[in-house]
């Protein structure tokens, strides 16, 4: 990619980022309200609702990686050449966003809810997998990728804010116990998502649009049997974990996001049954956190870009804030302390600041993973990494809600009741405080092993460019060799055509 072509300004970044109103908003609504909606208004037990998410996970375990593989190779088709191997899927998915409204209709039966939820899983794979690749394709500049990641996370946080605030606003007109609140919510978000995805299609481009005329086309398979492509897909999926930075990143990402999914899924029950407040209060508290998350994302973006704070250090700040919030909420519950509203609200200000860093930083890191992979494989595999990332993200939401459902069912939780047995309350607190805290502790530990910084990325990009121009590997300095080993997990002489390349690419298939 030519480094001087098509700069990414804030207008372009906004056009790219608005699709995370869907990525962040759709699953924020699901994580916060769907289990409650299923059990309160749809006649489903907690176990039945949890099974819907479990079935979706089985299907998505195949769907997202396949979508990543397809988008990496779709450029060979007529449609891919005409509309783009990534952006084509944004174009056709935009009008399909209205399927989201069908999820939020009451009294339709188990199979209806299973079918509508699975349709959203398919739609999200069609949108999010190709969209995730665009930041790495549009630019290779650290600052511009940070800008793209920052703006998209602002949109994601805005989506999260709308997810918790819009139902609260609608409740003012429909009433707090009216299931139509959720139906109108689904219609609202379906419209927003449709416009957002179409806007991204209009405002973005792909690597093929900025490639130097003298630069060769990236290698892509153009033939082979179905069995060959299935083997290639499986190998690509598995080989992505051969990259040390990606393994570390996935641990941080899964543990962090699952922690927030567990927290979000149980928080409604904590407020309603633990603090004896109504559902409207849930919307209010989470709206504060979501509102604060928007400017907080800008703070993290500026701190990392202007002050050169490492992603690991910034993450530890975010985790510290959330640990404080968990401790405060636990203390309020066990002591039955009557906390003044302004003080209780301030807890959610801290939550918003911490949560914004937890969401923004891993997704900022993600856009640099294909660069690390490239020096090992000599290929650009944005699609397969996007497939793995989207799969793990959607898995965190569904697995968290499924586990919450199972634990509550076993604890004696009774759907639709105004009070719950003590065992159910203990389960709610255990999940929200201790399960969330344990997952965050795993991520906190992993940040000390993570070595990506602005400086190490710059060294990586410089060395990759030197090798592309025909530079000899023996001329690499010791600092670059150490950086590459820290990021990839391989010795320098193993990358760029060495034994690690043979292990990590589909060249292995030819020897099997």
């Amino acid at each position: 990619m030519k480094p001087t072509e098509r700069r990414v300004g804030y207008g372009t970044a906004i056009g790219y980022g608005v699709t995370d109103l869907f990525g962040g908003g759709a699953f924020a609504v699901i994580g916060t309200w769907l289990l409650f909606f299923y059990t309160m208004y749809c006649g489903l037990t907690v176990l039945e609702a949890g099974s819907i998410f479990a079935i979706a996970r089985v299907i998505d375990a195949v769907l997202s990686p396949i979508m990543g593989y397809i988008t990496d190779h779709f450029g060979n088709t007529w449609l891919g050449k005409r509309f783009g191997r990534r952006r084509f899927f944004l174009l056709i998915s935009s009008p399909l966003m209205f399927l989201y409204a069908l999820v939020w209709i009451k009294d339709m039966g188990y199979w209806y809810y299973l079918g509508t939820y699975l349709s959203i899983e398919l739609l999200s794979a069609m949108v999010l997998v190709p969209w995730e690749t665009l930041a790495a394709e549009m630019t290779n500049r650290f600052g511009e990728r940070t800008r793209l990641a920052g703006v998209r996370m602002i949109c994601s946080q805005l989506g999260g804010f709308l997810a918790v605030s819009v139902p609260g606003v609608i409740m003012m007109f429909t009433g707090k116990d009216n299931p139509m609140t959720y139906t109108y919510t689904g219609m609202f978000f379906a419209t927003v998502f449709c416009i957002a995805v179409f806007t991204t299609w209009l405002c973005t481009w792909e690597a093929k649009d900025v490639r130097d005329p003298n630069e060769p086309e990236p290698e892509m398979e153009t033939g082979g049997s179905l069995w060959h492509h299935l083997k290639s897909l499986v190998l690509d999926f598995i080989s992505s974990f051969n990259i040390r930075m990606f393994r570390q990143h996935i641990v941080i990402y899964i543990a962090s996001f699952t922690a927030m999914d567990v927290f979000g899924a149980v928080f409604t029950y904590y407020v309603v049954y633990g603090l004896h407040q109504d559902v409207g209060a849930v919307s209010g508290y989470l709206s504060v956190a979501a509102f604060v998350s928007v400017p907080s994302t800008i703070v993290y973006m500026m701190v990392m870009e202007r002050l050169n704070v490492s992603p690991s250090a910034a993450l530890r700040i975010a985790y510290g804030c959330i640990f404080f919030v968990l401790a405060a909420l636990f203390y309020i519950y066990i002591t039955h302390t009557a906390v003044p509203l302004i003080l209780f609200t301030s807890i959610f200000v801290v939550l918003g600041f911490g949560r914004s860093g937890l969401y923004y930083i891993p997704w900022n890191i993600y856009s640099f993973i294909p660069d690390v992979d490239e020096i090992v494989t000599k290929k650009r595999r944005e699609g397969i990494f996007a497939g793995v990332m989207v799969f793990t993200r959607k898995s965190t939401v569904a697995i968290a809600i499924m586990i919450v459902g199972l634990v509550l069912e076993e604890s004696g939780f009774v759907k639709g009741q105004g009070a719950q047995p003590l065992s159910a309350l203990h389960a709610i607190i255990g999940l929200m405080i201790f399960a969330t805290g344990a997952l965050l502790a795993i991520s906190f530990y992993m940040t000390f092993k993570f070595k990506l910084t602005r400086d190490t990325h710059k060294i990586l990009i410089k060395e990759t460019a030197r090798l592309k121009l025909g530079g000899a590997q023996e001329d690499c300095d010791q600092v670059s060799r150490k950086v590459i080993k820290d990021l990839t997990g391989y010795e320098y002489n193993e990358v760029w055509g060495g034994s690690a390349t043979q292990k990590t690419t589909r060249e292995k298939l030819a020897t099997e």
Side-chain angles (χ1 to χ4, degrees), residues 270-387:
Y270 168 81
V271 172
V272 173
Y273 299 116
L275 302 184
H276 306 291
Q277 299 182 27
D278 58 38
V279 178
V282 177
S283 178
Y285 297 140
L286 294 181
S287 294
V288 171
F291 179 79
V292 171
S293 294
V294 176
S296 296
T297 301
I298 299 175
V299 172
Y300 281 104
M301 184 169 59
M302 295 296 103
V303 164
M304 293 176 62
E305 186 174 356
R306 303 286 177 84
L307 302 182
N308 200 23
V309 173
S310 71
S312 294
L315 272 172
R316 289 193 287 272
I317 294 172
Y319 295 150
C321 292
I322 300 173
F323 283 137
F324 167 80
V325 170
L326 295 178
L329 293 179
F330 182 62
Y331 176 80
I332 291 171
Y333 173 77
I334 62 173
T335 61
H336 305 287
T337 302
V339 181
L341 180 61
I342 188 169
L343 182 59
F344 196 64
T345 302
S346 68
I347 294 174
F348 294 92
V349 172
V350 177
L351 175 64
F353 181 79
R355 194 171 62 177
S356 65
L358 180 149
Y359 287 151
Y360 163 62
I361 297 167
W363 278 112
N364 180 43
I365 292 169
Y366 157 74
S367 65
F368 301 102
I369 291 172
D371 297 334
V372 179
D373 179 68
E374 183 179 17
I375 203 167
V376 176
T377 65
K378 302 176 70 173
K379 298 177 182 289
R380 297 297 301 186
R381 303 194 301 169
E382 290 91 348
I384 196 65
F385 286 105

Side-chain angles (χ1 to χ4, degrees), residues 171-208:
M171 284 177 192
M172 296 172 61
F173 300 94
T174 60
K176 295 179 180 179
D177 297 319
N178 190 339
M180 288 302 296
T181 296
Y182 304 94
T183 304
Y184 294 143
T185 296
M187 295 170 60
F188 171 83
F189 280 104
T191 304
V192 170
F193 299 155
C194 174
I195 296 171
V197 172
F198 186 74
T199 300
T200 297
W201 177 79
L202 286 175
C203 296
T204 55
W205 58 84
E206 299 182 17
K208 68 179 181 64

Side-chain angles (χ1 to χ4, degrees), residues 19 22 67 70-71 74 77-80 82-99 119 122-128 130-131 190 193-202 204 206:
T19 287
F22 171 65
M67 194 66 213
I70 289 173
T71 63
F74 193 70
T77 67
W78 178 84
L79 288 172
R82 175 66 177 84
F83 296 102
R85 61 176 180 162
R86 320 288 191 188
R87 296 172 63 246
F88 168 76
F89 296 98
L90 301 180
L91 179 62
I92 64 173
S93 296
S94 176
L96 296 177
M97 288 293 160
F98 287 100
L99 291 171
S119 72
L122 173 61
L123 184 60
S124 64
M126 288 177 58
V127 172
L128 298 180
W131 173 70
F193 299 155
C194 174
I195 296 171
V197 172
F198 186 74
T199 300
T200 297
W201 177 79
L202 286 175
T204 55
E206 299 182 17

